[in-house]
Amino acid sequence: MAQLWGGRFTKETDQLVYNFNASISFDQKFYQQDIKGSIAHATMLGEAGIITKEESEKIVEGLKGILSDVEEGKLEISSKYEDIHSFVEATLIDRIGDTGKKLHTGRSRNDQVALDMRLYTRDEVTALQGLLKELMTTLHNIMKDNLDTYMPGFTHLQKAQPVTFAHHVGAYMEMFKRDYDRLSDIYDRMNYCPLGAGALAGTTYPLDRKMTADLLGFYGPTLNSMDSVSDRDYVIELLSALSTICVHLSRFSEEIIIWNSNEYQFIELDDSYSTGSSIMPQKKNPDIAELVRGKTGRVYGALISILTTMKGIPLAYNKDMQEDKELTFDAIDTVKGCIALFNGMISTMKLNKENMKVSAMKGFTNATDAADYLVKNGVPFRDAHGIIGQLVLYCIDNNKAIEELSIEELQKISPVFKEDIYDAISLKTCVEKRNTIGAPGPEAMKQVIEINEEFLKNI
Ligand code: ARG
């Protein structure tokens, strides 16, 4: 047991208390950020004349050595320390002697951990955006290739109107574009440096907070020291954004599962992204899509957990906040895994375009267009709706699609129908005529694809 704060105590901590309190098992995940933060702090202490330049350089060298030794596996992060901060400081003192004891001048673990967590999550925001970009690039390519891949669009999981596969996938593209932008917003709001806030009330040393903020790539220092050590809004926002990404991945997974089912057969997942059954030899299961859908629960759990942890904490730092780490790390790793696996799954799946088309033709998805035909020929929409309703009933009784009826059959229901009805309700017409921006028609889709192309180029 090695503690930084033993001076005031006459007794050793109870082992169970020590274990309950310690965070090294998980906060070692941000050893890099902890050391980089310390390097910036020591550099600033030297520049500001709070310690000598020589001392500052010696500390920085020592810290760099610790960083590279951990990275190269020459130095193991030992669990005999309470947290990563204690480990780094003790190792530094061990290596460079008493000068190392000056590193913590004008700093508290409260602003230190606030800094480490910000640096860590900031790096992860960028990594998540990189993965989202890869996923969006896959979707973009699928869209470009499938402008005339017809499929039924659904409401209530009932066939509604025909769309294209490009259009359906394009809906998810919009969701992931918003997810990407949401992460950029979070980055911008969180990118202020809490270092220098001390335990809660700043310090009496003439710290140059702007310098440490600059050295660490922040826009500037945070403006209230009590807020700086107790703010975890950026964690809440990040977990909320991750939860939203999960909503999107989960809905998409659900559709993949439906499309891949024996009943639909719109797509076929690649063998490399499917699993079998131990008893049923015929099975090829969409486990990856199911796992992505399932993992949503633990990410929501992390969000609810941090919201609950934070809600009753008085200012400023309280140990409750140590609970922000494990769940955030887990949520980040989970979502990164989900995006990468989902991307692999959809870039290898096969589309059964014919099945999609046949399905679109079979479910009266052109009924609205048949009604619109009547409207264009002078029938009020409400009457047209009723006429087509009768027509659909007739088709169901006779097991036919609207376009399979003879002109005589059609005219028996409404004399307004003429030969040009067949062209007006063909799948191709139904899709191609829908060309207002945002609709599935090819002209509209091409404009959106151009916008997406620009988006991907600029991120
Ligand atoms: N492990 C602690 C955390 O994660 C570091 C800060 C400790 N500060 C303190 N006053 N005990 O929050």
Side-chain angles (χ1 to χ4, degrees):
M1 285 196 239
Q3 277 145 344
L4 297 171
W5 37 263
R8 184 217 184 280
F9 288 77
T10 53
K11 265 195 195 170
E12 281 272 300
T13 320
D14 180 271
Q15 186 62 47
L16 282 177
V17 172
Y18 183 84
N19 294 347
F20 194 64
N21 197 39
S23 53
I24 188 111
S25 63
F26 49 87
D27 64 16
Q28 58 178 279
K29 202 163 168 92
F30 52 46
Y31 75 89
Q32 264 186 18
Q33 287 79 7
D34 190 75
I35 296 172
K36 283 180 186 164
S38 288
I39 290 174
H41 183 64
T43 307
M44 179 277 294
L45 290 177
E47 292 292 328
I50 299 166
I51 59 176
T52 67
K53 281 270 173 64
E54 295 71 45
E55 288 169 334
S56 161
E57 277 160 23
K58 204 167 163 190
I59 293 173
V60 170
E61 280 318 299
L63 288 167
K64 284 184 178 163
I66 295 173
L67 182 57
S68 57
D69 285 355
V70 174
E71 247 143 33
E72 288 162 26
K74 292 187 203 151
L75 174 66
E76 206 188 319
I77 298 174
S78 161
S79 56
K80 76 176 206 260
Y81 295 96
E82 180 187 341
D83 52 33
I84 188 66
H85 326 297
S86 318
F87 166 77
V88 173
E89 193 177 322
T91 312
L92 182 71
I93 295 167
D94 200 38
R95 290 186 171 194
I96 68 166
D98 279 355
T99 311
K101 294 182 181 167
K102 297 197 173 183
L103 167 63
H104 211 52
T105 311
R107 192 175 66 169
S108 156
R109 275 185 300 166
N110 296 353
D111 60 343
Q112 190 177 358
V113 78
L115 171 70
D116 293 0
M117 193 62 182
R118 261 187 215 233
L119 286 173
Y120 184 86
T121 45
R122 191 184 68 175
D123 290 348
E124 292 297 326
V125 164
T126 307
L128 281 156
Q129 287 188 307
L131 287 164
L132 279 179
K133 183 176 179 181
E134 283 173 30
L135 174 60
M136 285 189 286
T137 306
T138 303
L139 298 181
H140 185 58
N141 291 333
I142 294 178
M143 286 173 74
K144 282 195 288 191
D145 290 345
N146 289 286
L147 286 172
D148 56 0
T149 305
Y150 303 123
M151 69 180 285
F154 297 83
T155 61
H156 314 272
L157 203 53
Q158 311 257 10
K159 290 179 198 178
Q161 291 174 341
V163 293
T164 65
F165 196 67
H167 191 245
H168 198 125
V169 165
Y172 287 102
M173 182 75 175
E174 294 303 313
M175 296 178 220
F176 293 124
K177 276 159 63 184
R178 289 196 294 273
D179 287 331
Y180 188 98
D181 286 344
R182 226 183 314 276
L183 289 172
S184 300
D185 295 343
I186 294 171
Y187 186 104
D188 282 345
R189 231 182 333 273
M190 77 191 286
N191 198 28
Y192 292 88
C193 186
L195 191 62
L200 77 161
T203 79
T204 52
Y205 298 100
L207 303 183
D208 186 344
R209 292 196 60 210
K210 188 176 173 324
M211 182 189 291
T212 37
D214 284 348
L215 286 171
L216 292 165
F218 287 104
Y219 299 149
T222 51
L223 297 184
N224 181 294
S225 58
M226 292 177 80
D227 178 52
S228 307
V229 292
S230 61
D231 166 33
R232 296 293 182 275
D233 286 6
Y234 61 97
V235 175
I236 294 172
E237 281 196 76
L238 175 57
L239 292 175
S240 167
L242 293 183
S243 297
T244 310
I245 293 173
C246 283
V247 179
H248 300 153
L249 286 174
S250 185
R251 293 182 74 178
F252 207 165
S253 293
E254 170 69 8
E255 302 212 274
I256 297 279
I257 293 163
I258 292 172
W259 295 340
N260 188 60
S261 66
N262 302 133
E263 281 67 27
Y264 276 73
Q265 296 186 35
F266 283 6
I267 59 160
E268 187 182 346
L269 292 178
D270 195 67
D271 277 3
S272 60
Y273 279 85
S274 309
T275 50
S277 157
S278 60
I279 178 167
M280 298 167 282
Q282 84 281 12
K283 283 288 208 133
K284 191 174 145 186
N285 297 328
D287 285 23
I288 298 306
E290 289 169 11
L291 272 172
V292 170
R293 187 178 59 184
K295 282 180 192 291
T296 305
R298 60 201 268 182
V299 179
Y300 290 2
L303 172 62
I304 296 300
S305 175
I306 188 69
L307 282 168
T308 312
T309 298
M310 293 305 295
K311 78 178 247 309
I313 303 182
L315 296 181
Y317 178 83
N318 294 260
K319 198 62 177 256
D320 319 38
M321 288 179 207
Q322 179 166 288
E323 285 297 307
D324 65 353
K325 290 174 199 61
E326 282 164 289
L327 53 94
T328 303
F329 297 158
D330 181 68
I332 291 171
D333 290 345
T334 300
V335 174
K336 280 165 80 180
C338 287
I339 302 173
L341 266 292
F342 192 89
N343 187 18
M345 178 176 70
I346 60 166
S347 25
T348 51
M349 72 187 180
K350 215 176 85 229
L351 307 185
N352 295 330
K353 298 185 185 183
E354 194 50 34
N355 287 355
M356 290 188 201
K357 188 171 163 191
V358 169
S359 171
M361 288 167 77
K362 284 241 169 90
F364 302 109
T365 60
N366 53 3
T368 315
D369 292 80
D372 287 345
Y373 171 91
L374 293 177
V375 170
K376 279 177 201 145
N377 286 287
V379 181
F381 181 78
R382 196 45 60 209
D383 293 342
H385 189 284
I387 294 168
I388 303 301
Q390 282 176 35
L391 195 64
V392 167
L393 202 56
Y394 178 85
C395 287
I396 293 171
D397 287 345
N398 292 280
N399 196 23
K400 282 182 176 172
I402 301 175
E403 61 275 19
E404 284 168 353
L405 300 179
S406 68
I407 192 71
E408 291 76 27
E409 284 174 297
L410 287 165
Q411 284 173 346
K412 230 186 273 164
I413 292 174
S414 168
V416 180
F417 286 121
K418 298 281 163 342
E419 274 297 331
D420 59 353
I421 176 66
Y422 297 105
D423 185 49
I425 61 169
S426 79
L427 206 48
K428 194 167 152 58
T429 313
C430 290
V431 171
E432 286 195 351
K433 286 265 170 69
R434 291 183 151 77
N435 268 319
T436 51
I437 192 76
E443 292 319 313
M445 284 298 297
K446 275 179 201 151
Q447 287 180 52
V448 171
I449 283 174
E450 243 171 70
I451 293 168
N452 292 346
E453 183 100 22
E454 274 304 295
F455 180 87
L456 289 171
K457 221 186 280 166
N458 292 324
I459 58 174

